[in-house]
Structure formats: structure tokens, C-alpha cells
Amino acid sequence: MLERFVVALLGFYLGFSTFFSFVVAPILFSVLDKSLAGEVVAKIFPLYFGSATALLGLAAILTLKGGYKKVAYLLLVGTLTAAFQEFYILPLVEELKTAKAEVFKVWHGISMLLNVVDIFIATFGVFYLIKEPRSGSD
């Protein structure tokens, strides 16, 4: 039962994160002026990364409780990555956006990479829990 709930949590995260990252954001940047699209996305990011932190964190706690230590630690890495983006990268990027465009691009790229890493971590968690459902330790 625990495995199914965690799979649902991770599935929800995967759904909104992939939809936002690979559908919504690219469409916004293709139909709106670049600066306006950036403003819209900047308003969404705190909720996006906050939700990622909460969902991955809850999934990490539950998988640890269920005895899936390796998956729990991997999800903890995802949680910390999302929190790092929310509390460090977002404020930094906001400062750099207008002042230092080249440094902004570097941090934006790092953020995009970390976002994809979180998506892969969650995907691994889903497949692992579907393939190896059991209670006990791994």
C-alpha cells in the first residue's frame, strides 16, 4: 500500500514537472516576448520548486519508512536539489538576470540540468517501486 502511495506522489510530481518543463515553459517563450515569458515563469518557479521539494521529501520519508533505503536516499538527493534551486538558485538568478547576463545563463543551465536530474530520480523511484514492491530493507 505504501509503495502505491509513493508511486502516486512521484507520478504527480513527474506529471506536473514534465508538463511544465517540456510543454508550458517552451510554449510561453515561443508565444510571448522573452522578458514577459521570463516574468511569468519566475512567478511559477517558487511554487514549482516548493512542490518538488515537498513531494520528493515526503516520498523520501515514506520510502525510508517502508524499508527502501537506497530509493529513500536517492529521493533525498532530489529533495535537496529542488530545495537548493528554490532557496539558492532562484534568488541568485533573479539578481543576475539584469546585471550579469552571461552568469545568468550559466546558472540557468545548471538549474535546468538539476531539474532534469530530479525528473530522472523520480522516474527511477517509480520504476523501482513498481518492479520491486516489498516491505523490508534493500
Side-chain angles (χ1 to χ4, degrees):
M1 184 66 141
L2 176 77
E3 293 90 354
R4 289 182 184 177
F5 182 67
V6 173
V7 167
L9 282 175
L10 294 175
F12 179 72
Y13 164 73
L14 285 170
F16 85 74
S17 65
T18 55
F19 184 69
F20 178 75
S21 298
F22 302 109
V23 177
V24 173
I27 289 173
L28 285 174
F29 280 95
S30 70
V31 300
L32 297 176
D33 175 64
K34 193 174 180 180
S35 64
L36 181 58
E39 287 181 39
V40 171
V41 170
K43 295 291 184 192
I44 295 170
F45 274 155
L47 177 62
Y48 176 82
F49 290 120
S51 298
T53 302
L55 291 169
L56 293 171
L58 180 57
I61 291 166
L62 293 175
T63 53
L64 186 60
K65 182 178 176 173
Y68 298 94
K69 289 182 183 177
K70 292 175 188 172
V71 175
Y73 295 144
L74 191 59
L75 290 169
L76 178 60
V77 169
T79 303
L80 294 173
T81 301
F84 178 71
Q85 290 185 89
E86 180 179 6
F87 298 113
Y88 182 77
I89 293 178
L90 282 181
L92 177 64
V93 166
E94 278 302 310
E95 285 180 29
L96 297 172
K97 196 183 315 185
T98 54
K100 300 179 180 180
E102 288 304 314
V103 180
F104 167 82
K105 289 178 185 178
V106 170
W107 279 102
H108 181 263
I110 291 169
S111 181
M112 289 173 57
L113 177 64
L114 293 176
N115 187 52
V116 171
V117 167
D118 275 353
I119 290 170
F120 279 125
I121 287 172
T123 302
F124 173 81
V126 167
F127 283 113
Y128 186 89
L129 292 172
I130 288 172
K131 187 175 188 245
E132 301 289 333
R134 68 188 186 287
S135 48
S137 62
D138 60 357

